[in-house]
Amino acid sequence: MTGAEILLESLIAQGAETVFGYPGGQIMPVYDKLYDYGDRIRHILVRHEQGAVHAAQGYARIKGAPGVVMVTSGPGATNALTGIADALIDSTPLVVIAGQVPNGALGTDAFQETDYIGLTAPITKWNYQIRSAEDVAHAVARAFYIAGSGRPGPVVLDMTKDAQVGIAEYVPAKCDFIRSYQPCPVPDDSILDRAARMIDAAERPLVVFGHGVMLSGAEKELAAFLSKGDIPAGSTLLGLSCLDSDNPHFIGMVGMHGNLAPNVMTQQCDLLIAVGMRFDDRVTGTLSSYACQAKKIHIDIDPAELDKLVRVDLPVLGDARYVLSELTARIREVKRPEWMMRPIMEASVEKHKVIDPELHPAGGMLKQGEVVAAVAEACGGNAVIVTDVGQHQMSAARYSRFHNSRSMITSGGLGTMGFGLPAAIGAKIAAPERTVCLFVGDGGIQMTIQELGTIMQEGTGVKIVLLDNNWLGNVRQWQELFFGSRYSFTRMMNPDYSAIAAAYGIAYKRVEKRGELASAVRQMFETDGAFLLDVHVEEAFNVFPMIPPGKSVDQIMLNETDWI
Amino acid sequence: MKIHGDNENLYEVTAYTEDSLGLLYSISGIFARRSLDIYKLLCYPSAIEGVFKIKVYVWATPDLIRQAVLQIEKKVDVIKAYFEIDSQRSKREVAEVKDILRNREELKTN
Ligand SMILES: Cc1ncc(C[n+]2csc(CCOP(=O)(O)OP(=O)(O)O)c2C)c(N)n1
């Protein structure tokens, strides 16, 4: 077989039946063979390689298995970089296969040659240049193992033309061991015992959980742990949907635009238990004042995250699912009625000061939260919510409801505008039976708007809710609050989205009035296939609550004038 | 010439690695990201067959060197990484890395 055929056989052996890609000169031998594999590998032709990576991310986040990307060398490969960086910081498993110039041309500045190993070294979990057909099966097996195990991440295979056209025998390869790589460390019993003793001794424990819970499939274990210890828990942005929104121990989202309860209680707890999260600065606010009063346990699978930003009393290196189930077995069953009242009190302040004015305003233009709440109501909290980056992302995180895990797909660590639309496409392809609803701003949609072409070609039924405010809203908010209302290049003229939707054959509706919202949302969900709901929302809108930069997590703006 | 703070030491970082293209670049990149100047860098076969040894000498604070070394050790092709102010421990290291590899191979076959 040629190396190209071995590659495709190896992908099939890994269960990778969907590939997001874009062809070009140095990957043509693979695409030529792909032509014959149409019945076994579904190739989604995106409109830009950045879209391929984000779509594969959306796919991977639903499936819990690596998304596969195929691009050509040079510009195709460099276009993929943003998505690869995004996937690394958000721990998303990807296998990116890039074409590369022939072996003899490497290093000569050949046409469409880039040093892809060098370029991707800092933004991949592992990368590898395949230079011969004999090496293909082994490299693919290794790539999937590395991408999907331990703390997941993106892997790049830089495949020279020689590797694609060379001939070798296809010997199926498996990889579940690499001697230099220990993906799943197991903590000592003595550490688990110590953690359990600390939890038992605490009066006001608080859990802050992140994406790691979802990645390890520890949703049930987390709920059981919280229930036995009667411990309130806040989620990071990427942890959302791990716990049912109605779980009595779930007290909301932490961080800059998070809920009051988990942020304020971070500064009141006597034990902070961080699970599968990495103390991002959007979560901690000013580090020097973060939960100083509390003892801290940090459970994470990545040793480099422990004691990186926040010094903890007990680092627990291990998989969240294993550690949580062990801890649940070891802790005492208790009730903490007083401590569990705190979130209720904080939530009532937030409802009065922030949520009610947002969801039930006296008049004026529609607010972002109203739109998100209307969508949540219409789909009963059962949709997969995908967001782009900006104010609408925070509104979506705050006002969506979740009853199933793996239902919130967003770009957290890198905050990549342009992520949303292609990620929603990937999510819908991974879960065709589920409703996939994207919230996107008028800035972000225009960063990857060409992917409407992918929706058109593939018939992907993504529901797109465009929160249209004629501003780069998030930056506008910072300019208003912290830069003396000097709106430097954030006002943005919009195209006629109805014409754009029509050009791509996508159903469209424009909403401006409050009274039209509910029926328009209903119409969107009742319409088969893709839908673009263009909602004109308040322009000079600010997302609150907000922990301003440089403040600690209990110094919170409730609106433009009130702080707690 | 860079002025080094009171809390900075010249550390010897040793990484035992597989023979992997681009790894040296990745490792030096970890120091560059944290603005840690590399004073000297050596790469050579270790006393263990098939295992390479990368030695990097950098000025850093204890906290930064610890974090950087953890990030080095996280690289898939790095077997083990150490840091020390002096360089007296290399015999112990070799013995330890041999142990690590033996244990892992045993785990694999079990
Ligand atoms: C690729 C990229 N460029 C720039 C930014 C900085 N940025 C963050 S949010 C934002 C504005 C987003 O505007 P829009 O998409 O309209 O959403 P809104 O905030 O109005 O909801 C910008 C420019 C970014 N996160 N990503």
Side-chain angles (χ1 to χ4, degrees):
Chain A
M1 277 185 191
T2 65
E5 286 168 297
I6 296 176
L7 171 71
L8 299 177
E9 290 293 339
S10 305
L11 290 179
I12 292 166
Q14 291 295 333
E17 73 255 4
T18 306
V19 172
F20 300 88
Y22 206 93
Q26 302 299 356
I27 192 79
M28 279 186 69
V30 174
Y31 269 83
D32 182 58
K33 293 299 174 195
L34 202 50
Y35 197 57
D36 302 327
Y37 277 74
D39 55 335
R40 290 193 284 162
I41 295 181
R42 180 178 178 194
H43 179 276
I44 310 291
L45 179 67
V46 294
R47 296 299 184 268
H48 185 288
E49 291 85 351
Q50 181 183 354
V53 187
H54 294 327
Q57 288 179 274
Y59 185 89
R61 298 264 277 266
I62 291 283
K63 290 268 189 193
V68 182
V69 176
M70 207 176 271
V71 296
T72 190
S73 67
T78 55
N79 274 349
L81 292 176
T82 302
I84 296 172
D86 191 289
L88 183 72
I89 199 161
D90 280 352
S91 312
T92 307
L94 293 182
V95 175
V96 178
I97 298 148
Q100 182 56 283
V101 300
N103 292 356
L106 286 168
T108 64
D109 300 327
F111 179 64
Q112 295 192 332
E113 185 201 2
T114 55
D115 170 12
Y116 210 43
I117 292 297
L119 282 169
T120 57
I123 55 169
T124 48
K125 186 170 172 188
W126 183 67
N127 64 14
Y128 183 73
Q129 188 169 70
I130 312 179
R131 286 185 233 135
S132 75
E134 286 83 14
D135 209 10
V136 174
H138 174 68
V140 171
R142 205 171 150 103
F144 274 82
Y145 173 55
I146 293 170
S149 57
R151 178 177 176 178
V155 162
V156 160
L157 294 176
D158 186 32
M159 195 170 176
T160 68
K161 198 105 172 225
D162 298 58
Q164 297 171 48
V165 299
I167 304 286
E169 190 189 342
Y170 171 51
V171 183
K174 266 186 74 176
C175 179
D176 55 13
F177 172 77
I178 296 170
R179 67 175 186 171
S180 56
Y181 171 61
Q182 292 293 292
C184 289
V186 179
D188 277 357
D189 275 0
S190 61
I191 303 262
L192 295 166
D193 285 339
R194 255 182 78 195
R197 279 199 303 275
M198 284 170 73
I199 295 165
D200 284 343
E203 287 177 5
R204 299 181 309 282
L206 175 72
V207 164
V208 176
F209 65 91
H211 197 192
V213 171
M214 209 177 286
L215 292 170
S216 82
E219 294 90 340
K220 282 204 184 88
E221 286 74 10
L222 175 65
F225 173 71
L226 299 175
S227 168
K228 188 168 179 194
D230 203 19
I231 305 174
S235 172
T236 66
L237 176 65
L238 288 195
L240 286 175
S241 85
C242 277
L243 276 187
D244 192 309
S245 305
D246 293 336
N247 184 305
H249 292 97
F250 179 58
I251 61 170
M253 180 173 76
V254 293
M256 184 173 269
H257 293 290
N259 296 101
L260 293 196
N263 281 327
V264 170
M265 289 166 69
T266 297
Q267 304 301 82
Q268 297 173 341
C269 63
D270 62 355
L271 177 67
L272 184 78
I273 308 159
V275 190
M277 57 84 81
R278 56 185 183 84
F279 293 111
D280 184 277
D281 49 273
R282 284 291 192 267
V283 163
T284 61
T286 301
L287 265 180
S288 55
S289 57
Y290 182 76
C292 293
Q293 80 295 342
K295 288 207 156 57
K296 298 177 195 79
I297 298 174
H298 187 185
I299 302 164
D300 206 282
I301 200 164
D302 180 353
E305 290 300 341
L306 300 174
D307 279 337
K308 183 178 83 175
L309 292 161
V310 173
R311 282 273 172 179
V312 299
D313 300 272
L314 186 63
V316 183
L317 180 61
D319 177 64
R321 187 165 163 192
Y322 173 77
V323 174
L324 286 171
S325 67
E326 287 294 316
L327 288 181
T328 306
R330 284 161 212 246
I331 59 171
R332 269 187 289 122
E333 183 154 10
V334 286
K335 287 278 168 243
R336 309 177 199 269
E338 256 181 60
W339 180 231
M340 282 302 295
M341 277 304 289
R342 294 275 176 97
I344 296 169
M345 280 149 50
E346 297 298 341
S348 99
V349 175
E350 184 171 346
K351 181 170 179 336
H352 175 62
K353 286 283 196 180
V354 183
I355 297 174
D356 283 347
E358 169 97 18
L359 298 189
H360 311 289
M365 287 186 78
L366 277 163
K367 294 201 182 262
Q368 295 195 353
E370 286 180 87
V371 184
V372 176
V375 167
E377 163 109 28
C379 44
N382 288 312
V384 175
I385 301 298
V386 184
T387 83
D388 204 76
V389 169
Q391 291 181 311
H392 63 277
Q393 176 188 34
M394 293 299 114
S395 298
R398 288 182 50 76
Y399 295 106
S400 292
R401 305 196 51 77
F402 301 104
H403 299 311
N404 307 288
S405 185
R406 297 190 178 277
S407 293
M408 173 65 166
I409 298 176
T410 191
S411 166
L414 205 64
T416 306
M417 283 175 73
F419 171 89
L421 183 58
I425 294 171
K428 183 68 185 171
I429 287 169
E433 72 293 352
R434 292 192 68 186
T435 299
V436 174
C437 183
L438 165 70
F439 290 100
V440 62
D442 40 338
I445 197 170
Q446 292 186 73
M447 283 216 171
T448 44
I449 198 164
Q450 69 282 353
E451 299 309 333
L452 292 175
T454 310
I455 289 180
M456 175 178 70
Q457 187 160 347
E458 293 294 328
T460 320
V462 174
K463 310 299 179 189
I464 304 163
V465 181
L466 171 61
L467 297 180
D468 196 340
N469 57 9
N470 298 309
W471 287 96
L472 297 173
N474 208 59
V475 182
R476 193 212 68 82
Q477 173 166 349
W478 281 54
Q479 288 173 335
E480 179 186 331
L481 299 178
F482 314 120
F483 289 85
S485 299
R486 288 159 52 82
Y487 299 117
S488 180
F489 304 105
T490 41
R491 184 77 181 154
M492 204 179 50
M493 212 173 135
N494 270 304
D496 176 353
Y497 288 109
S498 71
I500 289 181
Y504 285 107
I506 293 172
Y508 171 89
K509 188 166 182 77
R510 178 184 171 109
V511 177
E512 287 180 2
K513 299 203 180 75
R514 188 157 285 115
E516 303 164 349
L517 179 64
S519 70
V521 167
R522 218 175 309 119
Q523 183 186 341
M524 174 175 77
F525 287 125
E526 281 167 7
T527 304
D528 272 347
F531 198 103
L532 175 56
L533 187 66
D534 180 7
V535 190
H536 287 250
V537 289
E538 185 179 34
E539 295 199 353
F541 164 83
N542 292 327
V543 187
F544 288 114
M546 179 176 197
I547 301 164
K551 300 287 181 196
S552 72
V553 292
D554 57 353
Q555 294 176 297
I556 305 174
M557 293 176 81
L558 297 171
N559 51 48
E560 287 79 1
T561 51
D562 295 338
W563 293 67
I564 65 159
Chain B
M1 171 124 169
K2 194 176 158 187
I3 311 285
H4 299 288
D6 284 349
N7 201 19
E8 288 189 21
N9 299 303
L10 180 61
Y11 285 98
E12 181 192 81
V13 174
T14 309
Y16 289 83
T17 76
E18 301 292 358
D19 177 14
S20 157
L21 180 82
L23 189 58
L24 204 56
Y25 179 90
S26 289
I27 289 178
S28 61
I30 288 172
F31 293 111
R33 262 180 91 187
R34 292 172 176 269
S35 302
L36 298 175
D37 281 341
I38 294 179
Y39 172 78
K40 190 161 84 178
L41 192 150
L42 303 167
C43 179
Y44 49 95
S46 76
I48 307 161
E49 208 185 312
V51 174
F52 281 75
K53 196 163 165 179
I54 296 175
K55 275 198 185 286
V56 190
Y57 294 80
V58 278
W59 284 93
T61 61
D63 200 37
L64 275 187
I65 200 74
R66 187 185 54 78
Q67 291 182 23
V69 168
L70 279 173
Q71 285 180 330
I72 290 171
E73 203 166 71
K74 184 169 144 175
K75 293 274 159 203
V76 168
D77 292 317
V78 174
I79 299 163
K80 182 82 191 154
Y82 302 91
F83 65 98
E84 264 303 300
I85 294 181
D86 59 64
S87 55
Q88 296 306 307
R89 49 179 293 169
S90 92
K91 282 212 180 99
R92 264 189 294 137
E93 281 171 12
V94 169
E96 194 181 337
V97 172
K98 276 188 174 159
D99 263 3
I100 289 172
L101 290 179
R102 205 172 23 248
N103 286 343
R104 288 182 188 172
E105 293 288 356
E106 265 170 25
L107 274 180
K108 176 193 168 191
T109 44
N110 286 340

